[in-house]
Each structure stands twice: as structure tokens, then as C-alpha cells.
Amino acid sequence: GNDALNAVAELPDGDLLLVGFRTLGGVASRTLTKLSATGTAAAWTATFGDSSGKHGAWEMISITSNAVILAGLKDKPSDEEMTFKSYGNAGEGKAVVMQLPLSAVTGNTAPTASSASWTKTFGDFMTAKAARALSNGNVACLLWAEEQGASAVMLSSAGDVIWGPTHHTTNHGEGTDLQVPADQGSVLLFGHGP
């Protein structure tokens, strides 16, 4: 199939989590794959489906001391332009951010959507490019939509909107990543000009 891995993160035990999408039966679904630290065989792959016949992908993954945060898109009508980060944007779909408890990925069984602590969808944005946790459990996210450009939003530890989304015009170019400095007093957006 037409599969892709977009990001990787290391678990505390050295195992790896890879995110992207897998195409089965003509439908691209968001995937989370666990690789053992001692080998290259996949321990499991979790597939997160979307509305019937719609496509999706995870763009990034972030791991904290007690959670796994995933960001990407869902409900994309076609599997064309499944491009990510600086190479491009998906062009359609809905931005989605999901938080799983770390315990949901450390075992030998793949998590499901019902394993999530919370899932937040942003219908006015086409994808969530990045998400980073703060020490208090809040999550800063970078969203993208062609009409609005890069936008930041802060979610609570329960997945509720605290502030944002901010709407930076497309004059600011394309945001490709987001970081929170050690003092956690600001949110930094990275990318390139128009």
C-alpha cells in the first residue's frame, strides 16, 4: 500500500513509537507502531480509522513522563497530497490531537481510540502539525489551514481549549513545528516564509 512514517519517539524503556499512515483497502488510516528496542520487528500497530471511506495520518508524536501526544489529520476526502511538514500540507481534512496514557503503549497490546485520555478535533483547520506538553499537563498545538496559515492553541490537561486558536495570516508562511521553552512562558512557532 501507500504507507508513510512521519515521526518517531523513544519510550523510557528504549522501545520506539512511529507515527504516520497505512493504506488498506484504498483508505489511509492514522497509525501508531511500536518497535522493540532489541529488534526491528513491530510489536504492534494501532490503526485509528476515520469516518467511512475518509483518510487520515499522524504528523507527529511527543512523549511525556505519563502520556503520549499525537497530532495530525482525519476525515480527509481523498488520499491525494498526503504530504507533511515542510514538504507540504494535506490540503483538506480536519486537525486532530489525541492524548494516550503512557500505560496504553508500554504493553504488548496495541491501544485503540477508546484508550485515549482525550481527543480534540478542529474542523476549521486541515492538520495539527505539532503538539507539546507543558509541565502542568497543558498541551500547546500548532494548527494549519490554508486561509489562516499557522495558528497556535493551548489545550488543558483534559483537552479543552484554554486560549486560541490564534490566526496568523498566510503572510507569515507555513508553520512546521512548535516548541515550549524551559521557562514555559511562551510558545515558539517555527517554519518558513510565504
Side-chain angles (χ1 to χ4, degrees):
N2 183 20
D3 306 338
L5 294 172
N6 294 324
V8 62
E10 186 176 1
L11 288 166
D13 65 2
D15 288 350
L16 300 176
L17 292 178
L18 299 88
V19 296
F21 67 90
R22 176 176 288 167
T23 304
L24 297 171
V27 177
S29 295
R30 293 170 282 142
T31 58
L32 171 65
T33 300
K34 181 178 178 180
L35 295 181
S36 168
T38 59
T40 57
W44 48 254
T45 296
T47 302
F48 300 90
D50 295 318
S51 300
S52 180
K54 300 284 178 97
H55 307 273
W58 292 122
E59 287 209 41
M60 67 73 55
I61 181 170
S62 178
I63 298 177
T64 71
S65 61
N66 61 1
V68 174
I69 302 165
L70 305 165
L73 66 105
K74 65 181 231 170
D75 291 340
K76 185 177 181 313
S78 94
D79 65 352
E80 295 179 5
E81 296 183 352
M82 294 290 277
T83 54
F84 302 97
K85 294 298 180 190
S86 189
Y87 184 71
N89 289 293
E92 54 191 351
K94 296 176 184 171
V96 61
V97 179
M98 177 186 282
Q99 181 172 293
L100 294 163
L102 191 61
S103 60
V105 300
T106 55
N108 295 324
T109 305
T112 64
S114 64
S115 305
S117 304
W118 53 263
T119 302
K120 182 70 175 176
T121 301
F122 297 89
D124 292 340
F125 294 87
M126 295 173 189
T127 190
K129 307 293 271 179
R132 307 279 186 240
L134 283 71
S135 60
N136 65 3
N138 292 348
V139 178
C141 305
L142 173 61
L143 308 176
W144 183 85
E146 190 168 347
E147 303 81 25
Q148 294 146 340
S151 297
V153 63
M154 184 66 71
L155 302 178
S156 72
S157 59
D160 300 317
V161 174
I162 296 172
W163 57 257
T166 62
H167 295 293
H168 303 288
T169 67
T170 54
N171 301 4
H172 289 87
E174 178 186 342
T176 55
D177 207 348
L178 168 144
Q179 288 295 332
V180 179
D183 69 6
Q184 301 194 2
S186 59
V187 174
L188 306 175
L189 305 181
F190 300 92
H192 53 82

